[in-house]
Amino acid sequence: DMQLVESGGGLVQPGGSLRLSCTVSGFTFDNYALTWVRQAPGKGLEWVSSINYIGSSTDYADSVKGRFSISRDNVKKVLYLHMNSLKTEDTGTYYCAKDLYRYTRRTIPEVRGQGTQVTVSS
């Protein structure tokens, strides 16, 4: 079975930083693009960022561009999201997700982990 397990969430003050991680099993990690999506309280899923299968191409939502950085380690089979200059509106549950293809698309994949909570508050 495919499994994606997120970690690294927590409570942080505005302007702070967090690094999310996602460990993966059950599929060939370096054959697929990977994506981070989030869900703010009371709202739907929002695409945040994607990275292609070898990590050479990334894409970001306008709301996080310049503040977030996505990366992957194809040896360790881990996906990361480095989040800087966090804002209260970044609060939500963050999910890592497996794309259908090798290249990035601005879509919300169906295969996702259980999520990790990020709360930005003073």
Side-chain angles (χ1 to χ4, degrees):
D1 290 345
M2 291 183 286
Q3 284 194 326
L4 301 95
V5 180
E6 302 91 342
S7 62
L11 173 64
V12 62
Q13 293 186 337
S17 299
L18 281 175
R19 187 186 76 166
L20 305 184
S21 301
C22 174
T23 56
V24 163
S25 62
F27 63 91
T28 304
F29 185 81
D30 56 3
N31 268 1
Y32 298 95
L34 296 169
T35 288
W36 286 99
V37 301
R38 68 186 180 185
Q39 187 167 28
K43 297 189 177 180
L45 288 169
E46 175 191 13
W47 174 82
V48 173
S49 180
S50 294
I51 187 167
N52 73 343
Y53 70 115
I54 54 173
S56 61
S57 176
T58 59
D59 195 13
Y60 299 93
D62 288 345
S63 58
V64 307
K65 194 173 295 182
R67 301 187 298 121
F68 289 12
S69 177
I70 189 171
S71 62
R72 64 190 293 164
D73 186 326
N74 281 359
V75 174
K76 296 181 179 179
K77 299 183 181 180
V78 181
L79 173 71
Y80 300 101
L81 185 68
H82 302 257
M83 305 186 295
N84 298 314
S85 302
L86 282 161
K87 305 176 181 180
T88 55
E89 52 262 45
D90 294 318
T91 293
T93 303
Y94 285 69
Y95 303 89
C96 64
K98 170 191 167 294
D99 286 75
L100 290 177
Y101 306 109
R102 289 187 168 189
Y103 300 98
T104 61
R105 302 179 302 160
R106 292 191 169 197
T107 58
I108 297 176
E110 292 188 357
V111 178
R112 301 188 290 266
Q114 293 301 305
T116 186
Q117 178 67 33
V118 172
T119 302
V120 184
S121 175
S122 56

